[in-house]
Amino acid sequence: MNRKAGNVIANILKYGVLIIGALFTLMPFLWMILSAMKTNAEIRAIPPVFFPSKFSLENFTTAWKAAPFGRYLVNTLIVTVFNTIGVLITTILAAFAFARLNFPGKKVLLTLLLATMMIPSEMLLITNFITMTKLKWIDTYQAMIVPWLASVFYIYLLTQFFAQIPDALYLAAKVDKCRDFKYLIKIMIPINKGPITTITILNVISNWNSFVWPLLVTNSREMRVLSYGLVQFQTEEGSAYELIMAASCILVIPIMIMYLFLRKYIIEGVTQSGIKG
Amino acid sequence: MEIRIENLTKAYGDFKAIDNMNLTIADGDLVGLLGPSGCGKSTTLFMLAGLNKPTAGRIFFGEHEVTDIAPEDRGIGLVFQNYALYPHMTVEDNIMFPLINRKVPKNEARDRAYEMAKMVQLEGLMKRKPKALSGGQQQRVAIARALVKKPEVLLLDEPLSNLDAKLRVETREEIRRIQQEVKITTIFVTHDQEEAMSISDKIAVMEKGVLQQYEVPQKMYLNPGNLFVATFLGTPQINVFDAEVHDGKIYCAGNMLRSGCMVPDGSYKGGIRPESFNVTLLPSAPDAIRAEASHVRMTGRELQIRFNLGANEFRLLVHSDMQIGVGTPFYLTTREKQILLFGQDGKTVGKF
């Protein structure tokens, strides 16, 4: 076999595997969109039908009207924005301290923080809920924002990136009359734009998708978030899957838009940091 | 500005990185801090910069003691081995950075940055990011950034080690030119003796944290203070051999190399540089030593010949027009004042 033919076969295999991988990833997504356009009968049909008999957007309007999604969207945005700002502040400051500053007990503290990652988050739900009740924060925004203002995982991740920046840069800045905080703002953050963007996006997504905690700490309809909207269609008489799917589409759209805008940074950040969302 | 180092010591636990160093550097001199890796030369530089705290001793810039003064207030410019340019800023912003931090108005800072860039020949590259520059250009950005705040002392840590061979020669001349133009007292660290000798006004050779000798390059090469300095300077290395002295005559493996030397009888280490032999194919003098070439290497301008006297192997350099091959016998004498004798402690005893 000559080399050219070998290359062609190698390419076919390579792209074949990639296409299969892409299909596997896209399938549920496509299923969601198609199902959002089906009628209730179609969605329950056995054997299942792949395409709806007619593509109607009726489910979307029904779903949108069934719950105050506008209000949910505003709530989700408020929680996401404030939580993400807070997470970025704590993460960047802590990572800088761990990576660059010297203080007694640094190693012990970092080990302790990492050890908390071993605690299952479900266990934290209970203690955090009790704290919220005692603070009388139930049914408030701060109950959804404050308990998750620091993430050990992000801190550890960013610490690794900060630690990779050569000492010489820090010393050069020192000679240039640039103290710690200014160095952080003017040098460290711009250089680590990639990982910081990644952290921002991951945090936005996890806020957007969080369901159990907001459900626990909110009672009134005015305080609910988007993900709660999906539960609306699960009633004692059964689930209206076509409406759940339509609502899911609504939920996902803003994240998709964000991805389209920030695609360059996301890919850069993920490939740089070797983590996935 | 004159720099004075008094009894400077830096210890890490029991290990003394710098041991009681004393050195005075004259105003406007370019000084090479030379030594093998781990000799403490960079530690010394960083103590001058204020980034390392000395364990003991004092440092003076002119009349002022700076031992406890912060780096940014010492009036120094520092260039790092890897240049430490801020990768997200343009060349212009990099050079302006020290001025902006010192609250110099932006317009003035920009003017001074461009003035500086002109001197190091960086005009036209001001809007680029460091990544888009060659190693030599990055180096010059680092020098411009160090000089833009008009420091009184310029410190360079291994300024040429990240450049390729050809660029290294160009850049060292460039450093010399800039230094002369600004007339700034400059200290640079290097492990390359040729680099140090070629551009320095004076060289300070260090080993194991101890300053070995501080001298003008030519004087140091010809009159090394001890065996270490003698072997560290010069390529190919100086020949070191077991020397015996009897009645004022220096012998190597029974061959008399020199007579009339005023040194006590005994065993010494001898040293003679490869270029310090007179070589002829026929006996030129009654006391010429006969030797045979064991290796011959042609380097272009010179032939590098190896031969043995007893157990001592020597290298010598002759002009490449000499017809010597492996096994060719030849006769040699040594040039006057070119044999160094070192005592058992390594100190130079004399030059004969």
Side-chain angles (χ1 to χ4, degrees):
Chain A
M1 194 196 305
N2 64 29
R3 246 179 85 200
K4 218 166 182 180
N7 275 342
V8 170
I9 291 176
N11 275 337
I12 291 174
L13 280 174
K14 213 155 58 187
Y15 284 105
V17 170
L18 284 175
I19 287 166
I20 292 169
L23 281 178
F24 268 102
T25 321
L26 281 174
M27 232 0 245
F29 200 72
L30 191 64
W31 191 252
M32 175 182 84
I33 295 172
L34 290 172
S35 300
M37 299 183 198
K38 290 174 189 169
T39 63
N40 190 274
E42 274 168 342
I43 216 161
R44 285 165 189 284
I46 293 171
V49 285
F50 195 74
F51 291 105
S53 54
K54 70 177 178 58
F55 293 90
S56 93
L57 297 176
E58 202 189 309
N59 288 335
F60 289 95
T61 43
T62 317
W64 183 263
K65 280 179 193 153
F69 274 103
R71 178 76 203 181
Y72 293 167
L73 184 67
V74 170
N75 288 345
T76 303
L77 279 175
I78 289 173
V79 171
T80 303
V81 167
F82 284 96
N83 177 264
T84 303
I85 291 171
V87 162
L88 283 178
I89 292 172
T90 57
T91 305
I92 288 169
L93 288 179
F96 185 71
F98 282 125
R100 173 53 57 201
L101 304 180
N102 284 313
F103 53 90
K106 182 164 113 172
K107 277 200 173 138
V108 179
L109 194 59
L110 189 60
T111 314
L112 272 177
L113 279 185
L114 287 175
T116 64
M117 283 178 75
M118 300 293 164
I119 304 170
S121 54
E122 287 76 10
M123 268 175 67
L124 292 175
L125 288 181
I126 302 165
T127 48
N128 278 342
F129 183 74
I130 295 169
T131 314
M132 292 302 110
T133 330
K134 285 191 173 154
L135 287 171
K136 299 199 175 19
W137 276 9
I138 297 296
D139 219 25
T140 61
Y141 288 120
Q142 60 263 39
M144 287 186 273
I145 295 167
V146 175
W148 316 108
L149 275 183
S151 153
V152 175
F153 173 66
Y154 297 153
I155 289 173
Y156 185 66
L157 184 73
L158 198 59
T159 303
Q160 300 305 313
F161 277 99
F162 279 4
Q164 281 169 21
I165 305 299
D167 283 356
L169 230 54
Y170 179 65
L171 299 176
K174 214 166 168 179
V175 175
D176 288 346
K177 204 163 187 157
C178 181
R179 299 268 165 73
D180 283 349
F181 189 69
K182 210 171 177 189
Y183 173 72
L184 175 63
I185 302 293
K186 289 191 135 181
I187 314 282
M188 280 297 232
I189 293 179
I191 292 179
N192 288 288
K193 211 168 53 189
I196 290 172
T197 313
T198 309
I199 288 172
T200 310
I201 290 160
L202 289 181
N203 194 66
V204 166
I205 292 174
S206 81
N207 264 307
W208 204 264
N209 294 341
S210 76
F211 173 69
V212 177
W213 181 254
L215 183 70
L216 272 179
V217 295
T218 54
N219 297 324
S220 63
R221 246 187 162 203
E222 287 71 48
M223 292 307 295
R224 297 294 196 190
V225 292
L226 269 182
S227 57
Y228 177 78
L230 297 182
V231 201
Q232 304 267 318
F233 310 107
Q234 278 173 327
T235 59
E236 277 139 33
E237 294 97 62
S239 305
Y241 284 114
E242 72 284 5
L243 295 179
I244 295 183
M245 290 300 158
S248 298
C249 290
I250 297 173
L251 194 80
V252 163
I253 287 165
I255 294 281
M256 297 295 293
I257 293 171
M258 179 179 84
Y259 178 79
L260 287 179
F261 274 105
L262 298 175
R263 195 168 51 175
K264 193 184 121 201
Y265 295 105
I266 296 174
I267 291 171
E268 201 174 279
V270 172
T271 46
Q272 241 180 56
S273 56
I275 51 161
K276 53 182 181 55
Chain B
M1 178 161 302
E2 183 189 87
I3 299 171
R4 208 160 75 247
I5 297 172
E6 283 181 3
N7 307 318
L8 192 71
T9 298
K10 176 75 185 177
Y12 296 100
D14 284 340
F15 171 70
K16 279 188 175 160
I18 303 295
D19 196 358
N20 198 32
M21 181 173 179
N22 284 288
L23 181 64
T24 303
I25 290 165
D27 182 28
D29 266 6
L30 175 62
V31 170
L33 267 182
L34 177 66
S37 34
C39 72
K41 53 195 192 298
S42 286
T43 311
T44 308
L45 193 82
F46 283 131
M47 282 197 279
L48 287 170
L51 294 169
N52 255 346
K53 271 223 161 310
T55 314
R58 306 203 292 173
I59 298 168
F60 293 87
F61 285 179
E63 295 302 305
H64 303 286
E65 183 175 353
V66 297
T67 322
D68 294 318
I69 290 179
E72 67 264 31
D73 300 323
R74 286 194 182 194
I76 52 153
L78 181 57
V79 175
F80 288 86
Q81 183 171 359
N82 55 13
Y83 318 136
L85 300 178
Y86 309 119
H88 58 296
M89 295 184 190
T90 59
V91 170
E92 179 181 313
D93 289 337
N94 262 286
I95 302 177
M96 279 165 66
F97 191 70
L99 297 178
I100 298 293
N101 283 327
R102 284 178 170 73
K103 308 255 183 314
V104 175
K106 219 167 182 178
N107 284 333
E108 194 194 328
R110 186 170 292 117
D111 289 347
R112 280 170 65 179
Y114 272 85
E115 195 183 304
M116 215 58 240
K118 198 171 166 193
M119 189 173 71
V120 300
Q121 292 161 6
L122 277 174
E123 313 119 295
L125 300 174
M126 294 300 267
K127 297 292 178 197
R128 292 217 197 153
K129 294 264 177 77
K131 231 192 281 175
L133 300 180
S134 70
Q137 291 166 336
Q138 290 185 19
Q139 163 80 278
R140 283 181 297 179
V141 177
I143 292 175
R145 187 179 68 184
L147 289 176
V148 73
K149 60 199 174 206
K150 300 205 163 64
E152 308 220 49
V153 175
L154 178 62
L155 305 169
L156 306 130
D157 186 19
E158 302 261 7
L160 305 171
S161 63
N162 285 1
L163 302 174
D164 60 55
K166 185 171 168 284
L167 206 57
R168 212 174 290 172
V169 176
E170 271 171 36
T171 310
R172 76 186 188 207
E173 298 304 327
E174 185 72 7
I175 289 175
R176 181 62 174 170
R177 177 186 69 79
I178 294 167
Q179 188 263 343
Q180 296 279 305
E181 214 172 304
V182 189
K183 295 188 180 58
I184 184 173
T185 312
T186 304
I187 301 173
F188 75 102
V189 160
T190 179
H191 55 262
D192 183 329
Q193 42 97 22
E194 191 196 323
E195 196 175 295
M197 285 195 282
S198 63
I199 58 169
S200 307
D201 291 309
K202 276 188 160 189
I203 307 178
V205 174
M206 296 183 67
E207 204 225 358
K208 292 183 179 142
V210 179
L211 179 64
Q212 304 288 323
Q213 196 173 357
Y214 182 55
E215 205 25 287
V216 173
Q218 191 179 17
K219 277 192 188 157
M220 190 184 277
Y221 186 74
L222 297 174
N223 305 296
N226 59 37
L227 189 56
F228 176 79
V229 176
T231 51
F232 198 74
L233 295 186
T235 44
Q237 232 183 40
I238 192 168
N239 297 295
V240 177
F241 58 94
D242 296 317
E244 295 290 332
V245 175
H246 273 300
D247 303 329
K249 291 176 176 145
I250 302 173
Y251 292 91
C252 171
N255 301 290
M256 206 265 286
L257 295 174
R258 182 78 82 238
S259 58
C261 312
M262 304 298 274
V263 265
D265 291 1
S267 301
Y268 295 86
K269 283 280 171 204
I272 181 161
R273 297 214 176 264
E275 66 270 26
S276 301
F277 295 94
N278 297 312
V279 178
T280 49
L281 292 172
L282 297 168
S284 57
D287 56 354
I289 297 165
R290 185 178 185 278
E292 265 176 34
S294 61
H295 292 78
V296 177
R297 210 202 307 158
M298 169 69 185
T299 62
R301 190 175 27 157
E302 289 148 338
L303 281 183
Q304 209 183 96
I305 296 168
R306 278 199 258 168
F307 66 96
N308 286 69
L309 290 181
N312 302 286
E313 189 178 60
F314 289 82
R315 283 161 203 265
L316 66 79
L317 295 174
V318 291
H319 196 282
S320 55
D321 61 6
M322 206 143 195
Q323 297 300 317
I324 295 180
V326 174
T328 311
F330 56 87
Y331 296 86
L332 53 89
T333 54
T334 51
R335 287 164 57 195
E336 284 291 316
K337 291 276 176 202
Q338 296 286 331
I339 300 178
L340 294 157
L341 282 188
F342 305 98
Q344 294 306 330
D345 59 354
K347 286 242 167 62
T348 306
V349 174
K351 205 164 81 157
F352 305 98

